[in-house]
Amino acid sequence: MNTQTSPSPQFYLTAPAPCPYLPGEKERKVFTHLVGPRATEMNDLLTQGGFRRSQNIAYRPACESCRACISVRILANEFTPGRSFRRVLAVNRDIVATAFPAQPSSEQFSLFRRYLDHRHQSGGMSDMTALDYAIMVEDTHVQTRIIEYRVRAPGDGLKGKPKGELVAVALSDFMSDGLSMVYSFFNPAMEKRSLGTLMVLDHVNRAKALGLPHVYLGYWVKGSDKMGYKIRFQPQEHLLSQGWQRYTSSEASED
């Protein structure tokens, strides 16, 4: 397959495969390569058009009979945490979040394996090795950062890299109009901390601080437990046939 850069991206279609979200459905994806000097520009445009990035590939669903996958982005500037989100922030006030260049570490991989073994034992990533993880992090031609979340240790915040226990990690693209959460994982034993929620809230705050309007969460599939959390972060927009549309739901967490 030709991966050389050209004036216009070349798109390809995958063969049908079992859907990981809806039983009995088949999924297909359209994809292109994100390489060369225009990779950052293309990643921005494609993400705004409903694509997701995995390594140097941008893809989106192209299923023949199903349109259940909906691209979701949070309206960061309008977001105000409700009481349940404020509780998550309070519980995690001892967490230090630091963004670094997209470089893997053995400490990250150890946490990644622990997360997969607990949450995704039968998923497509379940057999990933340290090399696979390194490729997932490093194989990017766009502005990607890895954000580490650590329990505050004595001296953290004074100088140098935080030294506390690593409890969560987010791999994120920094784009012209927002942050795109490519992949995140956390210590599954710390359920009471709601670390997945914390990372999304942190990305909203980072987007606000950078003057960026959006946080892209990828796809939401109604009826899929794996995707249910995304609908809680409102206000948000969904990408529909007529473009990005504001979405509201009683499932938003304002309790």
Side-chain angles (χ1 to χ4, degrees):
M1 184 179 297
N2 180 17
T3 61
Q4 298 299 312
T5 58
S6 62
S8 298
Q10 303 297 306
F11 290 90
Y12 308 90
L13 187 64
T14 65
C19 176
Y21 305 116
L22 298 177
E25 294 289 346
K26 294 286 186 180
E27 71 164 358
R28 300 191 77 177
K29 296 176 182 176
V30 61
F31 70 95
T32 189
H33 293 87
L34 289 171
V35 295
R38 295 188 62 207
T40 296
E41 175 189 355
M42 290 305 303
N43 187 50
D44 282 15
L45 290 173
L46 291 172
T47 301
Q48 292 159 9
F51 280 71
R52 294 288 288 164
R53 186 182 70 80
S54 177
Q55 300 175 38
N56 66 0
I57 297 291
Y59 68 91
R60 68 169 298 171
C63 306
E64 297 175 357
S65 61
C66 180
R67 298 292 182 270
C69 291
I70 305 294
S71 294
V72 173
R73 66 185 185 188
I74 302 170
L75 298 172
N77 292 331
E78 299 182 40
F79 180 87
T80 301
R83 281 175 292 183
S84 65
F85 287 151
R86 292 198 297 271
R87 285 195 292 268
V88 172
L89 293 171
V91 167
N92 290 289
R93 59 185 175 272
D94 61 338
I95 297 295
V96 180
T98 312
F100 298 99
Q103 298 176 349
S105 70
S106 57
E107 188 180 19
Q108 292 168 14
F109 177 68
S110 178
L111 181 62
F112 177 69
R113 279 286 3 146
R114 187 175 181 183
Y115 173 79
L116 289 183
D117 292 343
H118 186 270
R119 289 292 189 97
H120 302 285
Q121 294 179 357
S122 59
M125 304 174 73
S126 61
D127 59 350
M128 285 181 65
T129 65
L131 178 59
D132 295 326
Y133 174 75
I135 292 172
M136 181 179 78
V137 173
E138 293 180 322
D139 192 3
T140 175
H141 292 250
V142 303
Q143 188 178 358
T144 305
R145 296 289 181 268
I146 197 156
I147 304 173
E148 294 186 345
Y149 298 81
R150 295 178 179 272
V151 178
R152 188 182 303 276
D156 281 352
L158 300 178
K159 62 178 182 179
K161 180 179 178 180
K163 304 296 184 183
E165 179 187 359
L166 181 68
V167 297
V169 173
L171 184 67
S172 302
D173 290 344
F174 283 53
M175 308 189 313
S176 61
D177 74 325
L179 306 181
S180 177
M181 298 185 69
V182 176
Y183 193 79
S184 59
F185 53 95
F186 52 86
N187 185 338
M190 295 183 171
E191 184 175 352
K192 292 183 178 180
R193 283 188 176 269
S194 299
L195 292 168
T197 297
L198 174 68
M199 286 189 280
V200 177
L201 295 174
D202 177 63
H203 278 68
V204 171
N205 289 335
R206 287 175 183 273
K208 287 182 178 181
L210 293 168
L212 300 173
H214 304 123
V215 174
Y216 290 85
L217 295 183
Y219 301 117
W220 171 63
V221 180
K222 188 174 184 179
S224 171
D225 292 339
K226 295 179 182 179
M227 301 292 193
Y229 75 93
K230 297 181 181 182
I231 211 69
R232 299 175 58 224
F233 298 90
Q234 297 192 29
Q236 63 182 231
E237 291 180 329
H238 290 187
L239 184 57
L240 306 176
S241 58
Q242 60 269 50
W244 287 100
Q245 301 290 312
R246 194 180 186 94
Y247 177 85
T248 56
S249 169
S250 60
E251 296 177 62
S253 178
E254 292 295 335
D255 56 305

